[in-house]
Amino acid sequence: MENKIVVGNIKMNMRFSEIPNYINCFKNINSKNIIICPSYIYIPYFLNYNFNVGSQNVCSLEDKGYTGEVSAKQLSSIGVKYSIVGHSERRIKLNESSIEINKKIKCCIDSNIKVILCIGETKEQFNMLKKDIVLKRQIKDALYDIEDISNIMIAYEPIWAIGTKEIPNLNELENTVNYIKTTIYNMYKKDIKVLYGGSVNEDNIDELNTINNLDGYLIGSASVNPNRFLGLINRISKIL
C-alpha cells in the first residue's frame, strides 16, 4: 500500500483564500508518491514541500508566440515534476485531439516532466463492448513515435464514471488494468504504472484497494477538500 501513487486533480475549484489552509494540511506530508495538481496560477505556492506538484495541462508547443499558454519548459523551470495529459474533459469539451496529446507528451519528456496520460471509454463504447479497442487506439495514438516510456504512467478513467459516483465492477477493472499493462508491454517490452480515476471516494476506496494490480489513483472532486483528501490518502497508503 505504501507505494501507491495518489494524484489530486483540483481542477478550477480552489480560490486564492483557500490556499493557506490546503498547504497547512499537507505541509508535513513526506511522500513523493503524493502529487497535487492545482491550477497554473497557484502552482508556485505548492512547491518546495515534501510532496510532488503537477500541472493539470501543458501546451503542445514550445514556440514562445502562443498567448495564454504555458510550456513544459516553463513548468520544469519552476520545479513541476508531473503533468496530466489527455484528460477526458479536455478531449471532449475542448476538442483536444490525439495529435495534440501526442505533442504534449513529447514536450513533457523533452523537459523531464513525468506524464500522467488519461485514457477512457464512453458509456456507449463500454456497452457496445468496444472498450478495449478504444483504449488501445488511445494508447497507440498518444504514444506515437515515442521510444522511451520511463516517464509515463497511465490513468484509466472511464468517462462514464467521472463525477457519477459509479465505478466499474472490480473484476472488470482488474481485467482492464491488466489489458492496459499488457498492451504497453507488447509495444515496449516494459512495465508501466496504471492508476484508476473516476468517482474515487470514501465509499469505494477500500474496495478499490483490493485490486492488486492498481498502482494508484487520480482523484478529482474528493481532492478539493484537503481534509477529505488526506483521509483518502491515509486509507490508501497509511502515511499519517
Side-chain angles (χ1 to χ4, degrees):
M1 289 281 186
E2 62 273 6
N3 294 321
K4 296 276 189 183
I5 297 167
V6 185
V7 184
N9 180 16
I10 302 175
K11 305 186 183 183
M12 291 169 58
N13 290 285
M14 186 179 292
R15 300 294 180 266
F16 182 73
S17 60
E18 298 171 304
I19 293 175
N21 179 56
Y22 205 108
I23 292 177
N24 189 57
C25 289
F26 275 84
K27 66 182 181 181
N28 294 321
I29 294 296
N30 187 14
S31 174
K32 294 302 183 181
N33 284 334
I34 307 303
I35 305 162
I36 299 178
C37 301
S39 299
Y40 283 140
I41 56 174
Y42 299 147
I43 285 176
Y45 297 98
F46 285 79
L47 297 170
N48 302 316
Y49 292 96
N50 288 321
F51 52 81
N52 269 314
V53 179
S55 171
Q56 298 174 21
N57 185 39
V58 64
C59 184
S60 61
L61 301 163
E62 288 293 347
D63 190 305
K64 296 178 182 178
Y66 287 84
T67 301
E69 293 292 331
V70 178
S71 73
K73 284 185 172 63
Q74 288 179 306
L75 291 169
S76 179
S77 73
I78 64 171
V80 172
K81 302 297 184 184
Y82 290 84
S83 180
I84 298 171
V85 176
H87 194 282
S88 63
E89 290 166 358
R90 297 196 61 85
R91 292 179 188 259
I92 297 170
K93 298 177 182 179
L94 297 173
N95 298 313
E96 193 165 285
S97 69
S98 297
I99 292 174
E100 188 171 4
I101 290 166
N102 175 253
K103 288 180 179 179
K104 289 182 177 186
I105 294 174
K106 289 176 178 176
C107 286
C108 286
I109 291 173
D110 288 344
S111 295
N112 201 31
I113 291 177
K114 296 180 181 179
V115 174
I116 304 163
L117 168 63
C118 297
I119 62 173
E121 81 285 356
T122 65
K123 191 66 171 179
E124 181 181 15
Q125 291 165 338
F126 178 81
N127 289 337
M128 294 178 67
L129 305 179
K130 292 184 176 180
K131 177 190 65 181
D132 288 355
I133 295 172
V134 170
L135 298 183
K136 189 172 186 178
R137 174 48 55 197
Q138 289 177 348
I139 290 170
K140 288 194 170 183
D141 286 349
L143 301 183
Y144 174 74
D145 199 31
I146 292 174
E147 297 181 359
D148 185 3
I149 61 166
S150 58
N151 278 343
I152 299 173
M153 67 182 79
I154 290 180
Y156 169 57
E157 288 199 303
I159 296 169
W160 50 269
I162 298 173
T164 64
K165 297 184 180 180
E166 182 181 3
I167 64 171
N169 171 277
L170 296 183
N171 287 333
E172 175 78 20
L173 179 53
E174 183 173 8
N175 290 337
T176 301
V177 174
N178 274 333
Y179 176 77
I180 293 169
K181 292 189 174 191
T182 299
T183 298
I184 292 292
Y185 190 82
N186 288 340
M187 292 171 62
Y188 290 95
K189 296 298 182 284
K190 292 183 179 179
D191 296 323
I192 197 168
K193 291 186 181 299
V194 176
L195 317 181
Y196 171 74
S199 295
V200 178
N201 58 43
E202 301 87 344
D203 296 328
N204 56 41
I205 192 61
D206 293 333
E207 286 184 287
L208 290 169
N209 274 338
T210 65
I211 303 177
N212 292 324
N213 61 354
L214 263 182
D215 298 299
Y217 304 94
L218 174 56
I219 300 176
S221 60
S223 71
V224 175
N225 181 301
N227 291 308
R228 183 184 181 193
F229 190 28
L230 274 175
L232 269 177
I233 291 171
N234 195 42
R235 287 169 68 176
I236 294 165
S237 299
K238 311 297 182 190
I239 63 173
L240 301 178

